[in-house]
Amino acid sequence: MDYDIVVVGLGPAGATLARLLKSEFKVLALDKKLTCGTDGFNKPFGGLLATDSQRSFIRFNLNLPLDILTNPQIFSVKTFDIQTGLVRNYQRTYINFDRHKFDLWLKSLIPNHVDVRHNTLCKNIERIIDGYQVTFVQDGQEHVITTKYVVGADGANSMVRRMRYPNHTVRQYIAIQQWFAEQHPVPFYSCIFDNTVTNCYAWSISKDDHFIFGGAFPKKDANQKFEQLKHKLEQNGFIFGTPLKTEKCPVVYPNRWRDFHVGNEQIFLIGEAAGFISASSLEGISYAFDSAEILSKIFNDKLKNPNKAYYQRTLKLRFKLLSKIVKAKILTTPFWRKMIMKSKISHIDNIQQ
């Protein structure tokens, strides 16, 4: 084999795995992104680092560099229920950061013994004796290599998952996000629910003199629903103006146990490719870190049946995500959401000045 392990995708999951693997492995890592700058592939999410992700940094003994952080750092999320008109403020300890710079920084931590290929597209993965043949294109040139193991860390629309499970479908939404010049007198984060528009949710983030509004919408009429919700929010005090840029990407929305697939036959899925994303918040970075850490230990310990070990060791992770599915069903059900918000549990009143 040309390589021991091929990692497809270098977001938080793939970059973490590539960084944690021992140097004795011959590893090839394929990534869509360029090495620097904003050109090339960008993950279109606002960029908030949740508490669970922060715990991973403690385990990894890593600190975030200053140039990744953005302004302001806000300590609450304003939650809007458009159907009832209820608004509540809940304390959150998110870190506001630049997602693209964050991904590039994680990739920069990968040690030199890993063969990292930037600006690449994985085209095909074919089973051969004792492993796989992987075909990818880098800068317009096609390459064919062989490997014992393949790790899919290629996100919601994972090519590796589709190849391994061609008949399996996971519910997906289209995440649409627009950037505007910030015009609100007081910057804020928000979480927005409106079941007449989407049975998922929408969000807003103030970031470095910009206001970002996004949401996850059904594929069929995502653009129409996005604009419909924007119009409703303008009546609730949101200020948009002319969009500076628009971003879109698919997002996995697991809603049952069998939506989590971790791979088999020397193929492994980590992060969002495995369905590891919270249905209640669409937070996936912490699960990317956790699944990559679990798989790295299995490889580094050279366990005889790594697929079986990975399935067993991610059970706790899947049960945690199952609880998020239950939470999401409650939050996206108008009656229960209304009851929770009317109770004012954990709500913090603003002092009017």
Side-chain angles (χ1 to χ4, degrees):
M1 295 294 170
D2 298 314
Y3 294 92
D4 299 308
I5 303 166
V6 169
V7 182
V8 182
L10 289 178
T16 299
L17 176 65
R19 176 173 57 83
L20 294 177
L21 289 171
K22 289 182 177 179
S23 60
E24 63 193 79
F25 295 110
K26 193 171 184 182
V27 180
L28 172 66
L30 307 176
D31 190 45
K32 287 183 180 180
K33 296 185 293 298
L34 300 174
T35 54
C36 61
T38 58
D39 294 333
F41 176 77
N42 281 254
K43 182 78 170 181
F45 278 97
L48 294 175
L49 199 65
T51 304
D52 285 346
S53 300
Q54 297 169 34
R55 292 194 188 101
S56 296
F57 278 89
I58 297 172
R59 294 199 309 275
F60 297 153
N61 196 28
L62 290 175
N63 297 307
L64 282 175
L66 183 61
D67 65 340
I68 289 174
L69 302 182
T70 53
N71 289 318
Q73 298 298 324
I74 301 172
F75 304 106
S76 69
V77 171
K78 186 176 291 187
T79 301
F80 293 82
D81 187 333
I82 301 302
Q83 291 167 274
T84 62
L86 293 171
V87 182
R88 297 289 183 262
N89 294 305
Y90 300 107
Q91 181 181 0
R92 292 293 183 269
T93 55
Y94 297 136
I95 294 175
N96 197 358
F97 69 103
D98 185 307
R99 175 59 194 265
H100 188 59
K101 288 183 179 179
F102 177 75
D103 284 351
L104 293 179
W105 171 68
L106 287 176
K107 194 161 76 163
S108 74
L109 300 177
I110 299 172
N112 292 331
H113 61 78
V114 176
D115 183 0
V116 178
R117 305 291 184 94
H118 312 283
N119 195 29
T120 64
L121 177 65
C122 185
K123 288 184 62 178
N124 188 51
I125 301 171
E126 184 178 344
R127 192 77 159 103
I128 58 174
I129 297 174
D130 295 331
Y132 290 88
Q133 178 178 283
V134 179
T135 303
F136 66 93
V137 176
Q138 181 181 19
D139 298 325
Q141 184 175 356
E142 188 171 285
H143 303 264
V144 180
I145 58 89
T146 57
T147 179
K148 184 174 183 180
Y149 299 112
V150 175
V151 179
D154 46 343
N157 203 29
S158 171
M159 177 264 190
V160 181
R161 185 184 67 232
R162 284 184 280 115
M163 186 278 298
R164 182 70 273 170
Y165 304 102
N167 299 319
H168 176 71
T169 57
V170 184
R171 182 191 291 184
Q172 289 189 354
Y173 290 87
I174 297 298
I176 304 176
Q177 187 168 266
Q178 286 186 334
W179 293 60
F180 307 88
E182 177 65 277
Q183 301 179 64
H184 299 93
V186 179
F188 65 99
Y189 302 153
S190 75
C191 177
I192 303 128
F193 293 98
D194 185 349
N195 288 70
T196 66
V197 175
T198 178
N199 56 355
C200 194
Y201 81 101
W203 59 85
S204 75
I205 304 169
S206 294
K207 187 186 297 287
D208 281 346
D209 299 322
H210 292 93
F211 182 69
I212 304 169
F213 169 68
F217 303 90
K219 289 183 175 182
K220 184 178 179 180
D221 49 6
N223 291 327
Q224 177 186 344
K225 296 296 187 182
F226 177 79
E227 293 298 332
Q228 184 180 341
L229 186 55
K230 273 177 62 180
H231 177 70
K232 288 186 176 184
L233 292 174
E234 285 177 326
Q235 301 170 20
N236 284 267
F238 282 62
I239 306 171
F240 295 111
T242 303
L244 302 177
K245 63 177 177 179
T246 302
E247 303 167 319
K248 297 181 184 180
C249 77
V251 59
V252 169
Y253 189 81
N255 68 337
R256 53 192 178 177
W257 178 262
R258 63 179 180 269
D259 283 345
F260 306 123
H261 277 290
V262 297
N264 54 36
E265 296 184 1
Q266 297 168 237
I267 282 183
F268 302 83
L269 299 173
I270 59 176
E272 197 174 351
F276 293 162
I277 184 171
S278 169
S280 63
S281 66
L282 300 184
E283 192 277 319
I285 293 178
S286 65
Y287 304 103
F289 286 158
D290 289 346
S291 56
E293 183 182 359
I294 290 168
L295 185 56
S296 71
K297 290 178 179 178
I298 290 169
F299 278 137
N300 290 338
D301 291 341
K302 298 182 179 179
L303 299 186
K304 288 184 179 180
N305 192 335
N307 279 113
K308 182 178 179 181
Y310 184 58
Y311 178 86
Q312 292 173 338
R313 295 187 185 185
T314 54
L315 277 173
K316 183 178 179 180
L317 202 60
R318 281 176 280 151
F319 276 117
K320 180 179 178 181
L321 285 163
L322 190 63
S323 73
K324 300 296 184 181
I325 292 173
V326 174
K327 181 180 178 181
K329 291 183 183 298
I330 294 171
L331 293 177
T332 56
T333 300
F335 173 79
W336 293 115
R337 185 171 66 243
K338 179 181 177 180
M339 292 297 100
I340 293 169
M341 294 182 71
K342 287 191 74 173
S343 73
K344 292 192 174 183
I345 295 173
S346 301
H347 165 68
I348 300 174
D349 285 318
N350 289 137
I351 298 176
Q352 300 299 321
Q353 295 182 350

